[in-house]
Amino acid sequence: MKGHYKNILCVLSDSHRQDDTVAQALHIAKAHQASLTIMLSLEALPPNASMVMESFSYVDSQQTMEKQAELWLKEQAESWSENYKVSTAVTVGHPLIDVVRYVVKNNIDLVIKRAEESFLDKLFGSLDMQLFRKCPCPLWIINHKPRSQYKNVVAALDLNYHYPSHEVSIRRDLNRDILRHASQIALLEFAQLHIVHVFDAVPENIARDGFITVDNDRMETDLAKIHAEREKELEKLLNELAEELDDNVWEYLQPKNHIVHGYPRREIAATTTSLDTDIIVMGTVSRLGVPGYIMGDTAEETIHQLKCAVVGVKPRGFETPISLD
């Protein structure tokens, strides 16, 4: 079942305050009985470093940095491995490229990373956001103060299927995968599963700007129809999930559904906050069916507003735009 991880990679960007990050990765790996690799991925020295040091010193410094990083990681891994075996890897170069290539080469099915804290990172495009866009496997970003156990898990679904037929099937599959990932996390954490879908009627959205006049009665009727449509689609998904699980497991899971009318870029995060969510599972690619297409505005804006851990799931058939050579 999708959402049960076998081969996990935990990415560290530096050597500072990483015990909580690794502890959370160990917790996840143990819950899934998965293999775990801790990668320290460092930026290479800038090319202009050679301007202030001799060429041989620059090369020596690059090699020394990698050797020292390997020694530090090996030493740390001895303590991290006391209760659960971990492997290690060090890369010095371009973290995004190095991580993606490692994921593909080693059949990684989950990447775990601590959220970056810098405002400038968020403003100009952090490694986190780049991985959400381009990492081919699910990405689990833990928040700065990880909780030892999750209590509330949210699956954020897009149940709007008013798209070309070739795209609808991909959207349905993505919703199924999001629901499976969220269900596995909820079951292994003994947490409550919440399903959130936010819909916005286009005429109402235009009316807010005052460009057209909309009949309120007609709008209410349309909203009721949309709500009923989305409830029906969600019921289909849940019936499929129930068939995959044992009866006693499904009885224990008992997800709570939240179909919310509002502006998705605002209400997904607001609903997640109101539910005291520990982790949200969501899709992170907008134009489905387009290999390697960048993350959509709604997903990106939502992630920036969230204060909980995030698991980003790609649609089936997604191809990373990162060169693997």
Side-chain angles (χ1 to χ4, degrees):
M1 178 177 177
K2 276 187 177 290
H4 186 80
Y5 310 113
K6 297 179 180 179
N7 200 6
I8 297 174
L9 177 67
C10 175
V11 177
L12 309 180
S13 297
D14 55 52
S15 60
H16 304 297
R17 296 177 289 115
Q18 296 292 0
D19 286 342
D20 285 346
T21 304
V22 174
Q24 188 76 351
L26 285 166
H27 171 74
I28 295 166
K30 287 179 183 178
H32 290 263
Q33 286 299 290
S35 64
L36 175 63
T37 300
I38 310 295
M39 171 188 279
L40 179 58
S41 185
L42 303 174
E43 292 272 2
L45 291 173
N48 63 0
S50 59
M51 296 174 63
V52 293
M53 58 177 80
E54 296 293 336
S55 296
F56 71 88
S57 298
Y58 173 65
V59 173
D60 180 64
S61 298
Q62 187 90 351
Q63 293 174 344
T64 299
M65 181 171 67
E66 185 169 358
K67 184 176 180 179
Q68 290 300 317
E70 288 173 349
L71 289 173
W72 175 85
L73 187 58
K74 182 179 179 181
E75 181 180 322
Q76 293 297 313
E78 291 179 0
S79 61
W80 292 335
S81 298
E82 288 180 357
N83 297 315
Y84 198 82
K85 182 180 178 181
V86 301
S87 302
T88 60
V90 172
T91 62
V92 179
H94 192 299
L96 173 64
I97 295 173
D98 292 339
V99 170
V100 169
R101 287 178 176 172
Y102 191 95
V103 164
V104 175
K105 182 179 179 180
N106 294 277
N107 297 314
I108 300 296
D109 54 18
L110 177 68
V111 171
I112 299 172
K113 187 180 177 300
R114 180 177 177 173
E116 293 175 344
E117 302 179 55
S118 169
F119 174 75
L120 290 176
D121 283 333
K122 291 186 176 181
L123 188 62
F124 294 111
S126 66
L127 176 59
D128 298 352
M129 301 309 292
Q130 292 173 333
L131 287 170
F132 272 127
R133 297 181 187 116
K134 299 175 182 179
C135 181
C137 73
L139 173 66
W140 188 322
I141 296 292
I142 63 176
N143 46 356
H144 304 138
K145 295 181 180 179
R147 303 182 187 182
S148 58
Q149 184 174 351
Y150 297 142
K151 296 180 181 178
N152 291 296
V153 178
V154 165
L157 304 181
D158 182 358
L159 300 169
N160 179 8
Y161 297 139
H162 294 278
Y163 292 92
S165 57
H166 70 277
E167 193 168 325
V168 170
S169 62
I170 299 174
R171 287 179 175 271
R172 290 184 188 275
D173 283 340
L174 180 58
N175 279 329
R176 292 185 185 101
D177 290 343
I178 291 170
L179 191 53
R180 288 166 179 150
H181 281 273
S183 298
Q184 278 285 349
I185 294 170
L187 289 170
L188 291 171
E189 295 287 337
F190 302 100
Q192 175 64 57
L193 174 62
H194 299 270
I195 300 173
V196 172
H197 168 66
V198 178
F199 70 93
D200 187 19
V202 174
E204 182 193 32
N205 198 26
I206 297 173
R208 289 196 201 105
D209 296 324
F211 294 125
I212 62 172
T213 302
V214 179
D215 182 274
N216 288 331
D217 291 338
R218 176 64 182 273
M219 182 185 293
E220 290 299 324
T221 300
D222 289 344
L223 289 173
K225 288 181 179 179
I226 294 173
H227 193 282
E229 173 192 85
R230 306 301 160 82
E231 278 189 327
K232 185 176 180 180
E233 293 295 345
L234 180 54
E235 184 179 358
K236 290 179 184 177
L237 278 174
L238 292 177
N239 287 338
E240 291 175 1
L241 180 64
E243 290 178 2
E244 295 178 12
L245 301 173
D246 293 338
D247 290 342
N248 60 328
V249 175
W250 175 250
E251 187 67 25
Y252 175 81
L253 191 61
Q254 287 298 303
K256 294 183 178 180
N257 303 334
H258 309 269
I259 298 180
V260 181
H261 170 226
Y263 193 42
R265 297 187 188 191
R266 179 177 60 247
E267 293 300 332
I268 294 174
T271 303
T272 299
T273 300
S274 70
L275 294 172
D276 192 25
T277 301
D278 298 292
I279 184 167
I280 180 173
V281 183
M282 59 188 293
T284 57
V285 174
S286 58
R287 286 292 305 281
L288 305 181
V290 183
Y293 203 87
I294 64 171
M295 186 163 60
D297 290 342
T298 298
E300 191 155 340
E301 286 188 29
T302 298
I303 288 171
H304 282 313
Q305 297 173 60
L306 294 170
K307 298 179 181 179
C308 62
V310 182
V311 175
V313 179
K314 301 291 194 308
R316 299 179 190 182
F318 173 84
E319 298 176 10
T320 180
I322 300 295
S323 171
L324 303 179
D325 298 328

